[in-house]
Amino acid sequence: MDWLKLPPLNGLRAFSVVAETGSYTLAAQKLNVTHAAVSQQVRRLEEHLGVALAVRSGRGIELTAEGASLARDLDIGFATIGRGVERLTEIVENRPVQVTMSPAFAVEWLLPRMAEFQHEYPDITLMLNPTAEVVELKPGGIDVAIRYRDKRRPVAGVQPLLLSDMVVIGAPELVAGRDLSNPASLMDLPWLQELGTNEASEWFTFHGVIPDRRLTVHHMPGNLIMDAVRRGDGITYTSRAFFREEIEQGRMIELFSEKLFGIYFVETRAGAQRPAVKAFLKWLRAQAETVTV
Amino acid sequence: MDWLKLPPLNGLRAFSVVAETGSYTLAAQKLNVTHAAVSQQVRRLEEHLGVALAVRSGRGIELTAEGASLARDLDIGFATIGRGVERLTEIVENRPVQVTMSPAFAVEWLLPRMAEFQHEYPDITLMLNPTAEVVELKPGGIDVAIRYRDKRRPVAGVQPLLLSDMVVIGAPELVAGRDLSNPASLMDLPWLQELGTNEASEWFTFHGVIPDRRLTVHHMPGNLIMDAVRRGDGITYTSRAFFREEIEQGRMIELFSEKLFGIYFVETRAGAQRPAVKAFLKWLRAQAETVTV
DNA sequence: CCGAGATATTAGAAAAAGTAACAAATGGAC
DNA sequence: GTCCATTTGTTACTTTTTCTAATATCTCGG
């Protein structure tokens, strides 16, 4: 292929629009630049090719024979490219919105609200990816990530979604009748924690407790933890928002809490978002206002 | 036309080459940039489109389904554009070299050397445009201008071609037996000068002579002036280089001279020159060395 | 487990493109 | 004719994009 030594493509595009509109001024409007920019692009292209493409003619311009010939080919070429891009865009636009989040968040927060979202935006399909892993946001992959971050290490420039106290929580049948007034006493209870994390021992460390005996920690996926805690299989460290009603009604016991230590925020990948993704983000923001616990 | 909102064209080109070569490294070589540049172009394109086009695969990459689809269209599109440009280039490359210069220079300097040039470069056709007017150098028009400039007002950054004393010259039969020892005495002789110029009165002014009677000045094209002067129809102000031999042999009389006042220089239009133009310029430079009078 | 060969990512340098302001040419209104 | 609106042409300067160089990361084969 020897089209590698193509002239400046932006100049070609500019000239193509000039040829189409028959005017620098109109072409500039179409391209959202000033006429000076278009004029310079075409001049540079002419210098590169060593041939005049358009000449002044009265109040406007007219193409030279060479210019007209080139314009024809450019039109066909760019149209081909445009069709290819368009087809791709259609595929992309219609792809479901890909969202990743922690299993706990999915079960306790998003899933309960999904029906409402679907009612509001029946045409948008959400694909959830509940995982504790941090998935990279790249084109063609995950569109939106809802992530948890300890508020002690705040992250700049992201949309907070849920700001909540973090609590250690357990079912009444598990904790009843015990003296749990100091952190160290929690070492005797079984902890449930997300696969691949180490929340229990971090919690003790943060409270100045150096474990003097082996902790009982069961690792399991976040979505199962919540039910297990409710059944009384163990205690866990999580957002109060997920258990607010149950705590108020006495169906769960809050053992310790850290004020506003937990923050869930929304992260999107770089670049422009598809309409469907924008709609989901808008809906998320609206939800966020109502749930700052 | 809605291909106005095409993605970044340079990104498309980069991706197209990546698709063709199947490698960022090879594509970078073809495009004469580093692989980092290609990588970034493709990444930006992916962000713009919101779709992955190529994914890492082992030690190299492979295209996604979307990438392969786009690559096909790009290939066709760029090929179309490339063909159009190529056709244009061929027309341009084969166009004769367009040279403009003063009629005097053409007749006295260039034409006598043309045969030699044609012998050296039989494939290159020169088109001469002998005119006193300053023709604009623009793409598709004049390629090379050989211009005269009074050396008192030097011009920067151009290739000098002929540096010569300027002389007032006449045929022996016209000037014989006259006392022409001071400038004012030249007012009695008929002057021949280029159409549209005013060399005669400028010469008198420069020599501090205020004409006290009407000058006899015949205007005619520069090429005719030289022959007319030889025939003895009048005197003129010109480069000594054009008459050097005749002066040495006494066939023409040098009346006055200004040391190195005249300079002919070569000017080319902006941008890269076609091979034929380059060859002509090279030849000109070689000639220049031999004729600094 | 190492090293060759590939892609990925950055900060900062270099190049390209765009803007604003003004100049120049033209055709029509008066 | 002169004036005026419209369009292209030009240039200094600013902004944006692109490229490079350095370095990190990943993968395969010995």
Side-chain angles (χ1 to χ4, degrees), chain A residues 212-226:
Chain A
D212 58 353
R213 52 195 179 278
R214 189 166 195 81
L215 295 171
T216 309
V217 178
H218 299 296
H219 289 264
M220 58 181 70
N223 51 324
L224 300 181
I225 291 177
M226 299 301 158

Side-chain angles (χ1 to χ4, degrees), chain B residues 23-25 35-36 39-40 43 56 59 61:
Chain B
S23 150
Y24 283 30
T25 306
H35 66 93
S39 177
Q40 287 174 96
R43 178 150 39 110
R56 195 158 188 167
R59 233 192 304 216
I61 55 161

Side-chain angles (χ1 to χ4, degrees), chain A residues 23-25 35-36 39-40 43 56 59:
Chain A
S23 151
Y24 283 32
T25 307
H35 76 270
S39 176
Q40 288 175 97
R43 185 165 32 153
R56 195 160 187 165
R59 230 191 309 211

